[in-house]
Amino acid sequence: FPVTIIVRIWLIGFTFLAIRLAGGLWFLNRLRSKSSPISFDGLSLEALSVRLGINKKVEALVSYEIKLPITFGWIKPVILLPAGYINQLTTVEVEAILLHELSHIRRYDWVLNLLQAVVEAVFYFHPMLWWISSTVRMERERCCDELAVATMDGGRMQYARARLKVQQLSQ
């Protein structure tokens, strides 16, 4: 008797998180279809991709529904940029943001994020999993920051200024 109650409770939590994951994937697909292509003055997304060693074609889109840049997709990677502030950034700042997002693509973070979400849905009941998960997400961002800084012409200070400006504009 108690085992069936535990299994039912687990199943309710798993179902909730699985629906949340599916809803997030649906939302990303909707964002992709409602977004517009964007080009950059003085910057080539293809050249930045080559600089990072990415052989896939990466699509850059602009969206009115987001406040921070988002990267997703494994086979057809997409970088979504917020429409609200893209015109307020300098070329160096846009380069910094694109290099950070391209770093996610190079590292296959989309696949790792999806796998992490599935593990979180299965083992949602364990508090250490949530701590480890948040730590992994922070480290993933740090790795992409370091890769972008190493690839960027402007260096660490230019990159930091660009990230700070993006954070300020998103609020």
Side-chain angles (χ1 to χ4, degrees):
F1 175 74
V3 173
T4 58
I5 291 174
I6 292 171
V7 170
R8 286 180 185 173
I9 291 170
W10 175 85
L11 194 57
I12 289 168
F14 173 78
T15 303
F16 172 75
L17 290 173
I19 290 170
R20 188 178 91 173
L21 176 61
L25 294 173
W26 174 83
F27 179 70
L28 286 176
N29 191 38
R30 190 176 70 80
L31 276 179
R32 176 185 236 160
S33 66
K34 291 177 74 178
S35 299
S36 308
I38 187 171
S39 61
F40 307 100
D41 294 334
L43 274 179
S44 165
L45 189 59
E46 292 80 22
L48 293 176
S49 296
V50 168
R51 198 185 315 174
L52 276 167
I54 299 169
N55 299 325
K56 298 177 182 180
K57 181 183 180 334
V58 178
E59 189 177 13
L61 303 172
V62 65
S63 172
Y64 290 94
E65 297 184 38
I66 60 173
K67 292 184 183 232
L68 287 170
I70 300 173
T71 299
F72 61 94
W74 179 26
I75 297 168
K76 294 180 181 178
V78 171
I79 297 174
L80 273 180
L81 298 167
Y85 65 77
I86 197 67
N87 293 332
Q88 299 177 44
L89 299 174
T90 66
T91 304
V92 173
E93 292 166 341
V94 171
E95 178 188 9
I97 302 311
L98 290 175
L99 284 171
H100 176 87
E101 297 305 320
L102 285 168
S103 297
H104 283 295
I105 293 168
R106 178 181 172 194
R107 293 172 28 86
Y108 299 101
D109 283 346
W110 167 251
V111 178
L112 297 174
N113 237 354
L114 198 56
L115 201 59
Q116 187 174 347
V118 170
V119 169
E120 287 172 355
V122 173
F123 297 106
Y124 72 90
F125 54 86
H126 202 298
M128 281 302 286
L129 172 81
W130 295 103
W131 176 76
I132 291 169
S133 231
S134 69
T135 303
V136 166
R137 281 192 177 86
M138 285 188 314
E139 288 302 317
R140 190 179 296 140
E141 290 300 319
R142 284 188 189 135
C143 288
C144 289
D145 287 340
E146 290 299 321
L147 188 56
V149 166
T151 311
M152 192 174 162
D153 294 331
R156 195 169 295 279
M157 284 305 289
Q158 289 283 8
Y159 183 78
R161 285 187 190 110
R163 291 294 302 235
L164 179 63
K165 189 166 183 183
V166 165
Q167 287 299 320
Q168 289 170 339
L169 290 171
S170 70
Q171 296 172 359

